[in-house]
Amino acid sequence: MTSIYLYVPNIIGYIRLLLILAAWWCWDSNPTLFVWLYSTSTALDAVDGAAARRLNQVSGFGAWLDVVVDNIGRSMVWCGLAPWGWMVAVLEWCTFSCTHNNGTNWKQSFADAPFWVKAVMANGFKTPVGCLVIAGLHLFPIVHYGMQRGMLAWLNPLLQPARVLLAIGRILCAATECWCIVEHILNLDVPTKKRAST
């Protein structure tokens, strides 16, 4: 029997982490290489989950690793992009802490959520709204980096509308993250309250 730590999707996660660390090394010295390394790691994010399901290698560790690697990468980018970037990183890490109490089923724990959160989370983000949020989450910071570094000037007429759309996706993502955190905080003492009232 293969160790969970050697499951194919987890090996992909380790490779993604190495790509992120290599990208960080290139942040200032080689922006083009940074974008390629970071984008490859982001693209592999779509592969690890599919591999886990296809190979029947879904695990709590893999679900955890996937989001940790995502958060490390985006935290790196946001903290490098803007003085306030750390706030985006903190929001993402707090959301991770609040949602991953449910293990591999964290995406299915939104039955009592408002309609807009349900729209984001429906079918594992595989809806138009979910895709907009995921695009804003993953692509907005890297497009912002490319624009800051002057790498995308030739695309500027096309990028402005795309950047606005990605910003809307990231804002909707932030609103969903805030809802998750508030919901988690409000439910922290629910079992204690129920015990106290009996």
Side-chain angles (χ1 to χ4, degrees):
M1 178 183 245
T2 304
S3 167
I4 288 173
Y5 306 108
L6 297 176
Y7 279 3
V8 171
N10 297 339
I11 291 171
I12 293 169
Y14 308 143
I15 293 168
R16 290 183 59 220
L17 185 57
L18 291 174
L19 288 166
I20 288 168
L21 295 174
W24 180 247
W25 187 67
C26 299
W27 177 269
D28 285 321
S29 63
N30 192 337
T32 302
L33 186 56
F34 169 83
V35 169
W36 279 105
L37 291 168
Y38 184 85
S39 297
T40 301
S41 175
T42 301
L44 284 174
D45 186 32
V47 175
D48 58 3
R53 289 182 294 278
R54 177 116 173 127
L55 300 171
N56 197 25
Q57 294 183 341
V58 174
S59 67
F61 173 74
W64 174 87
L65 178 66
D66 180 51
V67 180
V68 166
V69 172
D70 289 345
N71 283 359
I72 289 170
R74 287 192 305 268
S75 294
M76 171 190 69
V77 175
W78 280 113
C79 289
L81 281 176
W84 48 265
W86 65 270
M87 291 188 283
V88 179
V90 167
L91 179 63
E92 290 191 17
W93 282 105
C94 285
T95 303
F96 169 70
S97 175
C98 294
T99 57
H100 276 70
N101 288 331
N102 296 321
T104 58
N105 295 321
W106 72 271
K107 291 180 187 175
Q108 281 77 43
S109 59
F110 295 92
D112 297 327
F115 75 93
W116 52 275
V117 172
K118 287 180 183 178
V120 168
M121 300 305 299
N123 198 25
F125 303 109
K126 294 176 185 85
T127 63
V129 176
C131 288
L132 175 64
V133 165
I134 294 301
L137 183 67
H138 286 288
L139 299 179
F140 183 68
I142 199 68
V143 167
H144 192 63
Y145 173 86
M147 291 182 81
Q148 266 189 358
R149 298 294 193 269
M151 299 169 64
L152 304 173
W154 60 280
L155 277 175
N156 211 21
L158 296 173
L159 273 184
Q160 288 308 328
R163 194 171 175 199
V164 168
L165 197 59
L166 291 173
I168 290 168
R170 187 60 189 97
I171 290 166
L172 183 54
C173 182
T176 303
E177 290 167 326
C178 288
W179 180 85
C180 289
I181 293 167
V182 168
E183 189 68 13
H184 179 77
I185 291 168
L186 293 175
N187 285 299
L188 283 174
D189 290 327
V190 168
T192 306
K193 290 177 185 176
K194 287 181 180 175
R195 281 196 303 268
S197 65
T198 56

